[in-house]
Amino acid sequence: MGFLEKRDPEIFNAIRGEIGRQRGTLELIASENFTSLAVLEAQGCVMTNKYSEGYPGKRYYGGNEFIDVAENLARDRVKKIFNAEHANVQPHSGSSANMEAYFAVLKLGDKILSLFLPEGGHLSHGSPVNFSGQFYKIAHYHLDPETGMLDFDAIRKAALAEKPQMILCGYSAYPRTVDFKAFKEIADEVGAVMMADVAHIAGLIAGGEHPHPFPYADIVTTTTHKTLRGPRGAVIMCREKYAQAVDKAVFPGMQGGPLDHAIAAKAVCFGEAMKPEFRGYARQIVLNAKALADELMGRGFKLVSGGTDNHLMLVDLRSKGCTGKEAQVWLEAAGVTANKNMVPNDDKSPFVTSGIRLGTPALTTRGMKEGEMREIGGMIDRIVASKGDAAVAAKVKGEVSALCARFPLYPELEW
Ligand SMILES: *Cc1c(COP(=O)(O)O)cnc(C)c1O
């Protein structure tokens, strides 16, 4: 890295600062993770120099012999992991993958039925401030207000009433298992395409801790940088009947040249996710989430749906008398990183919120287990109970540093 330090010390120092921050704080943001050094190396490689519009064997420019090798490996591996008939590994991000998926199977103005966003959906599932809410008609289903869980009677009723062209499942803040078969049955009943956006749970699916969306889904999108632990980016998978439409929607429909370095890194990530060790990783993510959830509930915190089946939990802070925004700031002052999040029936705005979302994928990558999760639950309780008291924050911050030092991050990096 001597090159960057000499050429651009300002950026070098920003990156060094970020590595230090990642090493010295507890990362509980459910959508973040730490890639392997192999993924980092592939993502920082010379494939960034190449133009390769098109697909393997059918490129617009010459010189794509090795780019084709990487993209074919990425496609073959991800198809194998998810039992997919077809995969497109070129989408730059989860949001662009969703746009491309909609373009592939819907007409502008068609109707999408998705989860109400404040209950766990994603911006790209129909928010009025997002392209999805502007290009398509959007109808929403809701969680059961009592249990905080998906309510298939209500979803079916909404589908029959709204007659959408697409029913969308897969979420950003839903702590429970998703029944893809039930979604497919409802979609079939109303003649809708069933799409699953598994961005958050892809790693759990790959590791055998969450059921697969195929063979039920018609089209599946996922990011590669959340539980899957790869580079920032995304993938679209689909049944063979949509393969051509998906490929056309990605290129030339939406994107120009693919990010070949990112695709190489995706291939590395998929290779890692196919290894037996990844099953152990996915298992531990879930065990850690359960341990953290139990510790918090034991300390009187209310969790939406009363717990978790996956990698994340939503803490409803209303019974603790503080907002999500306050908790996020207090936790950050003590070296604990999490994000404020809407909870069902939230009376606060998305900028304030009544909840925080906590996830275990990143800390599990560092090697932490149930014991550490219980310790962290205790820290969170002390911070929230003290209402962000500076002395408590300073004390906890010292404990956070000591805990981080016991689980070194990227010890091989010289930075
Ligand atoms: C994170 C996420 C996305 C978007 O991913 P970006 O890469 O940030 O665009 C899409 N859908 C769901 C459900 C997500 O959680």
Side-chain angles (χ1 to χ4, degrees), residues 167-232:
I167 298 183
L168 187 47
C169 64
Y171 314 102
S172 297
Y174 184 66
R176 296 295 182 176
T177 305
V178 180
D179 184 347
F180 298 114
K181 183 160 180 272
F183 273 105
K184 177 61 173 167
E185 284 165 3
I186 295 169
D188 281 348
E189 198 177 338
V190 299
V193 171
M194 198 286 248
M195 173 166 151
D197 173 356
V198 299
H200 259 264
I201 52 175
L204 301 182
I205 295 165
E209 291 296 318
H210 190 288
H212 279 266
F214 290 120
Y216 306 112
D218 297 299
I219 186 158
V220 172
T221 56
T222 182
T223 56
T224 44
H225 49 273
K226 297 179 183 175
T227 48
L228 209 45
R229 205 165 60 180
R232 302 201 81 74

Side-chain angles (χ1 to χ4, degrees), residues 31-32 35 43 91-93 224-226 230-234 259 262 266:
S31 50
E32 295 190 10
T35 70
Q43 201 176 15
H92 301 329
S93 74
T224 44
H225 49 273
K226 297 179 183 175
R232 302 201 81 74
L259 309 178
K266 287 175 196 176

Side-chain angles (χ1 to χ4, degrees), residues 22-26 34 288 362-373 375-376 400-411:
Q22 291 184 14
R23 283 179 174 142
T25 55
L26 290 175
F34 304 116
N288 282 353
L363 294 184
T364 306
T365 295
R366 288 186 81 148
M368 293 187 194
K369 295 207 162 62
E370 292 93 322
E372 287 76 36
M373 296 304 119
E375 222 179 297
I376 292 165
V400 166
S401 299
L403 182 55
C404 288
R406 273 167 49 213
F407 296 89
L409 180 65
Y410 298 130

